[in-house]
mmCIF file of all heavy atoms in Angstrom:
data_model
loop_
_atom_site.group_PDB
_atom_site.id
_atom_site.type_symbol
_atom_site.label_atom_id
_atom_site.label_comp_id
_atom_site.label_asym_id
_atom_site.label_seq_id
_atom_site.Cartn_x
_atom_site.Cartn_y
_atom_site.Cartn_z
ATOM 1 N N VAL A 134 -35.375 64.256 -4.840
ATOM 2 C CA VAL A 134 -34.654 63.037 -4.604
ATOM 3 C C VAL A 134 -33.181 63.394 -4.272
ATOM 4 O O VAL A 134 -32.604 62.937 -3.306
ATOM 5 C CB VAL A 134 -34.668 62.059 -5.732
ATOM 6 C CG1 VAL A 134 -33.700 60.937 -5.586
ATOM 7 C CG2 VAL A 134 -36.146 61.448 -5.896
ATOM 8 N N VAL A 135 -32.608 64.266 -5.068
ATOM 9 C CA VAL A 135 -31.144 64.712 -4.879
ATOM 10 C C VAL A 135 -31.050 65.365 -3.502
ATOM 11 O O VAL A 135 -30.101 65.030 -2.759
ATOM 12 C CB VAL A 135 -30.690 65.574 -6.010
ATOM 13 C CG1 VAL A 135 -29.425 66.269 -5.636
ATOM 14 C CG2 VAL A 135 -30.493 64.787 -7.283
ATOM 15 N N SER A 136 -31.987 66.239 -3.120
ATOM 16 C CA SER A 136 -31.927 66.917 -1.812
ATOM 17 C C SER A 136 -31.986 65.881 -0.711
ATOM 18 O O SER A 136 -31.166 65.987 0.256
ATOM 19 C CB SER A 136 -33.037 67.924 -1.764
ATOM 20 O OG SER A 136 -33.005 68.514 -0.518
ATOM 21 N N ALA A 137 -32.960 65.019 -0.684
ATOM 22 C CA ALA A 137 -33.062 64.037 0.323
ATOM 23 C C ALA A 137 -31.919 63.111 0.412
ATOM 24 O O ALA A 137 -31.417 62.849 1.555
ATOM 25 C CB ALA A 137 -34.403 63.216 0.111
ATOM 26 N N LEU A 138 -31.384 62.711 -0.725
ATOM 27 C CA LEU A 138 -30.192 61.807 -0.674
ATOM 28 C C LEU A 138 -28.967 62.514 -0.200
ATOM 29 O O LEU A 138 -28.161 62.000 0.546
ATOM 30 C CB LEU A 138 -29.961 61.169 -2.039
ATOM 31 C CG LEU A 138 -30.999 60.111 -2.426
ATOM 32 C CD1 LEU A 138 -30.820 59.782 -3.921
ATOM 33 C CD2 LEU A 138 -30.915 58.904 -1.559
ATOM 34 N N THR A 139 -28.739 63.768 -0.691
ATOM 35 C CA THR A 139 -27.622 64.534 -0.258
ATOM 36 C C THR A 139 -27.586 64.725 1.276
ATOM 37 O O THR A 139 -26.498 64.558 1.907
ATOM 38 C CB THR A 139 -27.568 65.927 -0.941
ATOM 39 O OG1 THR A 139 -27.559 65.725 -2.359
ATOM 40 C CG2 THR A 139 -26.354 66.670 -0.536
ATOM 41 N N ASP A 140 -28.703 65.052 1.839
ATOM 42 C CA ASP A 140 -28.852 65.127 3.277
ATOM 43 C C ASP A 140 -28.533 63.904 4.000
ATOM 44 O O ASP A 140 -27.954 63.919 5.143
ATOM 45 C CB ASP A 140 -30.271 65.646 3.701
ATOM 46 C CG ASP A 140 -30.502 67.087 3.275
ATOM 47 O OD1 ASP A 140 -29.568 67.816 2.953
ATOM 48 O OD2 ASP A 140 -31.733 67.483 3.356
ATOM 49 N N ALA A 141 -28.819 62.811 3.440
ATOM 50 C CA ALA A 141 -28.651 61.489 4.095
ATOM 51 C C ALA A 141 -27.215 60.944 3.889
ATOM 52 O O ALA A 141 -26.837 59.918 4.636
ATOM 53 C CB ALA A 141 -29.700 60.452 3.598
ATOM 54 N N CYS A 142 -26.483 61.419 2.921
ATOM 55 C CA CYS A 142 -25.153 60.841 2.669
ATOM 56 C C CYS A 142 -24.239 61.065 3.847
ATOM 57 O O CYS A 142 -24.397 62.021 4.603
ATOM 58 C CB CYS A 142 -24.504 61.517 1.386
ATOM 59 S SG CYS A 142 -25.269 60.937 -0.117
ATOM 60 N N ASN A 143 -23.289 60.120 4.035
ATOM 61 C CA ASN A 143 -22.361 60.298 5.142
ATOM 62 C C ASN A 143 -20.988 60.236 4.676
ATOM 63 O O ASN A 143 -20.712 60.265 3.496
ATOM 64 C CB ASN A 143 -22.729 59.096 6.141
ATOM 65 C CG ASN A 143 -22.661 57.778 5.516
ATOM 66 O OD1 ASN A 143 -21.769 57.511 4.675
ATOM 67 N ND2 ASN A 143 -23.609 56.907 5.900
ATOM 68 N N GLU A 144 -20.065 60.120 5.620
ATOM 69 C CA GLU A 144 -18.566 60.032 5.263
ATOM 70 C C GLU A 144 -18.235 58.827 4.397
ATOM 71 O O GLU A 144 -17.119 58.829 3.737
ATOM 72 C CB GLU A 144 -17.736 60.129 6.469
ATOM 73 C CG GLU A 144 -17.822 58.956 7.388
ATOM 74 C CD GLU A 144 -19.056 58.972 8.401
ATOM 75 O OE1 GLU A 144 -19.750 59.907 8.431
ATOM 76 O OE2 GLU A 144 -19.255 57.919 8.966
ATOM 77 N N LYS A 145 -19.102 57.850 4.336
ATOM 78 C CA LYS A 145 -18.772 56.724 3.516
ATOM 79 C C LYS A 145 -19.001 56.991 1.982
ATOM 80 O O LYS A 145 -18.499 56.259 1.156
ATOM 81 C CB LYS A 145 -19.708 55.463 3.923
ATOM 82 C CG LYS A 145 -19.374 54.955 5.218
ATOM 83 C CD LYS A 145 -20.299 53.742 5.543
ATOM 84 C CE LYS A 145 -20.260 53.289 6.988
ATOM 85 N NZ LYS A 145 -21.163 52.238 7.175
ATOM 86 N N THR A 146 -19.792 57.949 1.718
ATOM 87 C CA THR A 146 -20.122 58.225 0.267
ATOM 88 C C THR A 146 -18.914 58.810 -0.367
ATOM 89 O O THR A 146 -18.414 59.913 0.046
ATOM 90 C CB THR A 146 -21.342 59.208 0.216
ATOM 91 O OG1 THR A 146 -22.432 58.681 0.914
ATOM 92 C CG2 THR A 146 -21.668 59.445 -1.239
ATOM 93 N N PRO A 147 -18.385 58.241 -1.459
ATOM 94 C CA PRO A 147 -17.208 58.796 -2.128
ATOM 95 C C PRO A 147 -17.573 60.171 -2.616
ATOM 96 O O PRO A 147 -18.626 60.464 -3.132
ATOM 97 C CB PRO A 147 -17.019 57.789 -3.259
ATOM 98 C CG PRO A 147 -17.657 56.557 -2.862
ATOM 99 C CD PRO A 147 -18.830 56.993 -1.981
ATOM 100 N N ILE A 150 -18.916 60.541 -6.216
ATOM 101 C CA ILE A 150 -20.308 60.150 -6.340
ATOM 102 C C ILE A 150 -21.196 61.238 -5.791
ATOM 103 O O ILE A 150 -22.239 61.622 -6.350
ATOM 104 C CB ILE A 150 -20.581 58.796 -5.527
ATOM 105 C CG1 ILE A 150 -19.713 57.636 -6.137
ATOM 106 C CG2 ILE A 150 -22.051 58.495 -5.596
ATOM 107 C CD1 ILE A 150 -20.042 57.330 -7.569
ATOM 108 N N LEU A 151 -20.837 61.891 -4.691
ATOM 109 C CA LEU A 151 -21.574 62.949 -4.066
ATOM 110 C C LEU A 151 -21.568 64.139 -5.038
ATOM 111 O O LEU A 151 -22.688 64.738 -5.230
ATOM 112 C CB LEU A 151 -20.853 63.340 -2.734
ATOM 113 C CG LEU A 151 -21.675 64.310 -1.888
ATOM 114 C CD1 LEU A 151 -23.111 63.880 -1.632
ATOM 115 C CD2 LEU A 151 -20.993 64.635 -0.604
ATOM 116 N N LEU A 154 -24.093 63.381 -7.739
ATOM 117 C CA LEU A 154 -25.416 63.457 -7.171
ATOM 118 C C LEU A 154 -25.879 64.929 -7.071
ATOM 119 O O LEU A 154 -26.954 65.252 -7.586
ATOM 120 C CB LEU A 154 -25.516 62.800 -5.823
ATOM 121 C CG LEU A 154 -26.826 62.941 -5.054
ATOM 122 C CD1 LEU A 154 -27.874 62.217 -5.832
ATOM 123 C CD2 LEU A 154 -26.651 62.422 -3.623
ATOM 124 N N VAL A 160 -27.045 58.446 -10.583
ATOM 125 C CA VAL A 160 -26.107 57.707 -9.766
ATOM 126 C C VAL A 160 -26.814 56.453 -9.252
ATOM 127 O O VAL A 160 -27.985 56.492 -8.895
ATOM 128 C CB VAL A 160 -25.674 58.607 -8.540
ATOM 129 C CG1 VAL A 160 -24.782 57.756 -7.566
ATOM 130 C CG2 VAL A 160 -24.919 59.838 -8.980
ATOM 131 N N LEU A 161 -26.052 55.345 -9.110
ATOM 132 C CA LEU A 161 -26.618 54.121 -8.574
ATOM 133 C C LEU A 161 -26.794 54.355 -7.105
ATOM 134 O O LEU A 161 -25.887 54.891 -6.430
ATOM 135 C CB LEU A 161 -25.752 52.921 -8.886
ATOM 136 C CG LEU A 161 -25.591 52.504 -10.318
ATOM 137 C CD1 LEU A 161 -24.605 51.338 -10.402
ATOM 138 C CD2 LEU A 161 -26.931 52.063 -10.864
ATOM 139 N N LEU A 162 -27.931 54.011 -6.585
ATOM 140 C CA LEU A 162 -28.240 54.235 -5.152
ATOM 141 C C LEU A 162 -27.242 53.451 -4.272
ATOM 142 O O LEU A 162 -26.822 53.904 -3.225
ATOM 143 C CB LEU A 162 -29.679 53.860 -4.810
ATOM 144 C CG LEU A 162 -30.726 54.769 -5.485
ATOM 145 C CD1 LEU A 162 -32.134 54.237 -5.187
ATOM 146 C CD2 LEU A 162 -30.562 56.145 -5.024
ATOM 147 N N GLU A 163 -26.837 52.253 -4.682
ATOM 148 C CA GLU A 163 -25.886 51.513 -3.928
ATOM 149 C C GLU A 163 -24.504 52.164 -3.795
ATOM 150 O O GLU A 163 -23.837 52.028 -2.801
ATOM 151 C CB GLU A 163 -25.721 50.075 -4.488
ATOM 152 C CG GLU A 163 -24.988 50.052 -5.770
ATOM 153 C CD GLU A 163 -24.796 48.675 -6.391
ATOM 154 O OE1 GLU A 163 -25.671 47.812 -6.092
ATOM 155 O OE2 GLU A 163 -23.830 48.372 -7.058
ATOM 156 N N ASP A 164 -24.181 53.039 -4.792
ATOM 157 C CA ASP A 164 -22.903 53.766 -4.713
ATOM 158 C C ASP A 164 -22.920 54.890 -3.646
ATOM 159 O O ASP A 164 -21.811 55.328 -3.216
ATOM 160 C CB ASP A 164 -22.623 54.440 -6.050
ATOM 161 C CG ASP A 164 -22.246 53.417 -7.132
ATOM 162 O OD1 ASP A 164 -21.919 52.256 -6.805
ATOM 163 O OD2 ASP A 164 -22.292 53.811 -8.301
ATOM 164 N N LEU A 165 -24.083 55.228 -3.164
ATOM 165 C CA LEU A 165 -24.197 56.222 -2.026
ATOM 166 C C LEU A 165 -23.867 55.569 -0.659
ATOM 167 O O LEU A 165 -23.552 56.359 0.245
ATOM 168 C CB LEU A 165 -25.545 56.854 -2.009
ATOM 169 C CG LEU A 165 -25.952 57.617 -3.286
ATOM 170 C CD1 LEU A 165 -27.363 58.058 -3.212
ATOM 171 C CD2 LEU A 165 -25.020 58.755 -3.545
ATOM 172 N N GLN A 166 -23.843 54.308 -0.556
ATOM 173 C CA GLN A 166 -23.577 53.536 0.633
ATOM 174 C C GLN A 166 -24.324 54.069 1.842
ATOM 175 O O GLN A 166 -23.840 54.315 2.914
ATOM 176 C CB GLN A 166 -22.075 53.622 0.898
ATOM 177 C CG GLN A 166 -21.230 53.052 -0.228
ATOM 178 C CD GLN A 166 -19.774 53.116 0.018
ATOM 179 O OE1 GLN A 166 -19.268 53.401 1.136
ATOM 180 N NE2 GLN A 166 -18.994 52.743 -1.014
ATOM 181 N N LEU A 167 -25.603 54.098 1.698
ATOM 182 C CA LEU A 167 -26.502 54.587 2.738
ATOM 183 C C LEU A 167 -26.920 53.422 3.635
ATOM 184 O O LEU A 167 -27.181 52.262 3.150
ATOM 185 C CB LEU A 167 -27.804 55.161 2.179
ATOM 186 C CG LEU A 167 -27.681 56.376 1.237
ATOM 187 C CD1 LEU A 167 -28.988 56.754 0.722
ATOM 188 C CD2 LEU A 167 -27.132 57.519 2.002
ATOM 189 N N ASP A 168 -26.860 53.608 4.927
ATOM 190 C CA ASP A 168 -27.342 52.598 5.808
ATOM 191 C C ASP A 168 -28.836 52.558 5.957
ATOM 192 O O ASP A 168 -29.508 53.468 5.388
ATOM 193 C CB ASP A 168 -26.659 52.727 7.186
ATOM 194 C CG ASP A 168 -26.920 54.042 7.896
ATOM 195 O OD1 ASP A 168 -27.929 54.674 7.557
ATOM 196 O OD2 ASP A 168 -26.107 54.423 8.792
ATOM 197 N N SER A 169 -29.425 51.644 6.647
ATOM 198 C CA SER A 169 -30.875 51.520 6.685
ATOM 199 C C SER A 169 -31.516 52.745 7.334
ATOM 200 O O SER A 169 -32.621 53.177 6.926
ATOM 201 C CB SER A 169 -31.255 50.267 7.490
ATOM 202 O OG SER A 169 -30.726 50.253 8.774
ATOM 203 N N LEU A 170 -30.856 53.349 8.341
ATOM 204 C CA LEU A 170 -31.433 54.555 8.958
ATOM 205 C C LEU A 170 -31.457 55.715 7.975
ATOM 206 O O LEU A 170 -32.470 56.439 7.855
ATOM 207 C CB LEU A 170 -30.638 54.956 10.203
ATOM 208 C CG LEU A 170 -31.054 56.223 10.867
ATOM 209 C CD1 LEU A 170 -32.499 56.103 11.346
ATOM 210 C CD2 LEU A 170 -30.152 56.495 12.077
ATOM 211 N N SER A 171 -30.406 55.796 7.190
ATOM 212 C CA SER A 171 -30.347 56.924 6.170
ATOM 213 C C SER A 171 -31.379 56.695 5.119
ATOM 214 O O SER A 171 -32.013 57.614 4.663
ATOM 215 C CB SER A 171 -28.921 56.957 5.477
ATOM 216 O OG SER A 171 -27.966 57.266 6.457
ATOM 217 N N ARG A 172 -31.612 55.417 4.683
ATOM 218 C CA ARG A 172 -32.632 55.179 3.663
ATOM 219 C C ARG A 172 -34.064 55.501 4.259
ATOM 220 O O ARG A 172 -34.871 56.063 3.552
ATOM 221 C CB ARG A 172 -32.605 53.716 3.212
ATOM 222 C CG ARG A 172 -31.379 53.444 2.356
ATOM 223 C CD ARG A 172 -31.499 52.093 1.729
ATOM 224 N NE ARG A 172 -31.564 51.026 2.670
ATOM 225 C CZ ARG A 172 -30.554 50.337 3.168
ATOM 226 N NH1 ARG A 172 -29.368 50.632 2.783
ATOM 227 N NH2 ARG A 172 -30.734 49.349 4.119
ATOM 228 N N PHE A 173 -34.278 55.162 5.507
ATOM 229 C CA PHE A 173 -35.508 55.598 6.160
ATOM 230 C C PHE A 173 -35.694 57.090 6.204
ATOM 231 O O PHE A 173 -36.748 57.588 5.891
ATOM 232 C CB PHE A 173 -35.606 54.955 7.553
ATOM 233 C CG PHE A 173 -36.862 55.278 8.274
ATOM 234 C CD1 PHE A 173 -38.072 54.599 7.953
ATOM 235 C CD2 PHE A 173 -36.836 56.226 9.284
ATOM 236 C CE1 PHE A 173 -39.226 54.903 8.632
ATOM 237 C CE2 PHE A 173 -38.046 56.529 9.930
ATOM 238 C CZ PHE A 173 -39.206 55.901 9.595
ATOM 239 N N GLU A 174 -34.615 57.803 6.548
ATOM 240 C CA GLU A 174 -34.736 59.272 6.567
ATOM 241 C C GLU A 174 -35.068 59.840 5.145
ATOM 242 O O GLU A 174 -35.832 60.792 5.117
ATOM 243 C CB GLU A 174 -33.383 59.885 7.083
ATOM 244 C CG GLU A 174 -33.138 59.652 8.480
ATOM 245 C CD GLU A 174 -31.716 60.044 8.970
ATOM 246 O OE1 GLU A 174 -30.931 60.543 8.097
ATOM 247 O OE2 GLU A 174 -31.444 59.934 10.161
ATOM 248 N N VAL A 175 -34.475 59.270 4.129
ATOM 249 C CA VAL A 175 -34.766 59.700 2.771
ATOM 250 C C VAL A 175 -36.256 59.477 2.507
ATOM 251 O O VAL A 175 -36.946 60.353 1.935
ATOM 252 C CB VAL A 175 -33.905 58.936 1.767
ATOM 253 C CG1 VAL A 175 -34.367 59.106 0.391
ATOM 254 C CG2 VAL A 175 -32.428 59.409 1.866
ATOM 255 N N MET A 176 -36.783 58.304 2.849
ATOM 256 C CA MET A 176 -38.204 57.980 2.580
ATOM 257 C C MET A 176 -39.068 58.993 3.312
ATOM 258 O O MET A 176 -40.018 59.480 2.733
ATOM 259 C CB MET A 176 -38.482 56.546 3.056
ATOM 260 C CG MET A 176 -39.864 56.062 2.581
ATOM 261 S SD MET A 176 -40.159 54.357 2.943
ATOM 262 C CE MET A 176 -40.642 54.467 4.608
ATOM 263 N N ILE A 179 -39.102 62.415 1.645
ATOM 264 C CA ILE A 179 -39.845 62.354 0.377
ATOM 265 C C ILE A 179 -41.384 62.340 0.693
ATOM 266 O O ILE A 179 -42.173 63.053 0.068
ATOM 267 C CB ILE A 179 -39.451 61.240 -0.450
ATOM 268 C CG1 ILE A 179 -38.012 61.471 -1.046
ATOM 269 C CG2 ILE A 179 -40.439 60.992 -1.651
ATOM 270 C CD1 ILE A 179 -37.352 60.287 -1.727
ATOM 271 N N LEU A 192 -39.403 51.393 -2.766
ATOM 272 C CA LEU A 192 -38.230 52.229 -2.817
ATOM 273 C C LEU A 192 -36.952 51.465 -2.897
ATOM 274 O O LEU A 192 -36.046 51.891 -3.566
ATOM 275 C CB LEU A 192 -38.253 53.195 -1.538
ATOM 276 C CG LEU A 192 -39.292 54.296 -1.548
ATOM 277 C CD1 LEU A 192 -39.203 55.069 -0.314
ATOM 278 C CD2 LEU A 192 -39.117 55.232 -2.787
ATOM 279 N N ILE A 193 -36.902 50.411 -2.090
ATOM 280 C CA ILE A 193 -35.676 49.613 -2.079
ATOM 281 C C ILE A 193 -35.385 49.035 -3.522
ATOM 282 O O ILE A 193 -34.274 48.815 -3.839
ATOM 283 C CB ILE A 193 -35.756 48.484 -0.984
ATOM 284 C CG1 ILE A 193 -35.708 49.190 0.341
ATOM 285 C CG2 ILE A 193 -34.614 47.505 -1.144
ATOM 286 C CD1 ILE A 193 -36.024 48.253 1.482
ATOM 287 N N GLN A 195 -35.658 50.371 -6.332
ATOM 288 C CA GLN A 195 -35.157 51.371 -7.236
ATOM 289 C C GLN A 195 -33.579 51.259 -7.232
ATOM 290 O O GLN A 195 -32.986 51.162 -6.180
ATOM 291 C CB GLN A 195 -35.586 52.769 -6.888
ATOM 292 C CG GLN A 195 -37.039 52.945 -6.853
ATOM 293 C CD GLN A 195 -37.880 52.367 -7.985
ATOM 294 O OE1 GLN A 195 -37.510 52.641 -9.091
ATOM 295 N NE2 GLN A 195 -38.851 51.539 -7.753
ATOM 296 N N VAL A 198 -30.803 57.018 -8.919
ATOM 297 C CA VAL A 198 -31.446 58.254 -8.524
ATOM 298 C C VAL A 198 -32.588 58.590 -9.538
ATOM 299 O O VAL A 198 -33.657 58.943 -9.105
ATOM 300 C CB VAL A 198 -30.460 59.427 -8.435
ATOM 301 C CG1 VAL A 198 -31.088 60.772 -8.203
ATOM 302 C CG2 VAL A 198 -29.419 59.167 -7.392
ATOM 303 N N LEU A 201 -35.560 56.365 -9.043
ATOM 304 C CA LEU A 201 -36.307 56.777 -7.890
ATOM 305 C C LEU A 201 -37.243 58.002 -8.124
ATOM 306 O O LEU A 201 -38.402 58.041 -7.888
ATOM 307 C CB LEU A 201 -35.421 57.075 -6.698
ATOM 308 C CG LEU A 201 -36.103 57.501 -5.340
ATOM 309 C CD1 LEU A 201 -37.176 56.573 -4.928
ATOM 310 C CD2 LEU A 201 -35.003 57.630 -4.280
#
Side-chain angles (χ1 to χ4, degrees):
V134 169
V135 166
S136 175
L138 288 170
T139 300
D140 289 347
C142 285
N143 56 41
E144 66 278 350
K145 293 182 191 176
T146 304
I150 299 297
L151 190 55
L154 176 64
V160 174
L161 294 177
L162 294 175
E163 69 182 31
D164 290 344
L165 298 175
Q166 300 181 10
L167 300 176
D168 58 23
S169 59
L170 178 59
S171 297
R172 288 191 302 269
F173 180 75
E174 289 172 0
V175 168
M176 188 174 84
I179 291 171
L192 287 180
I193 290 171
Q195 304 310 309
V198 174
L201 181 52

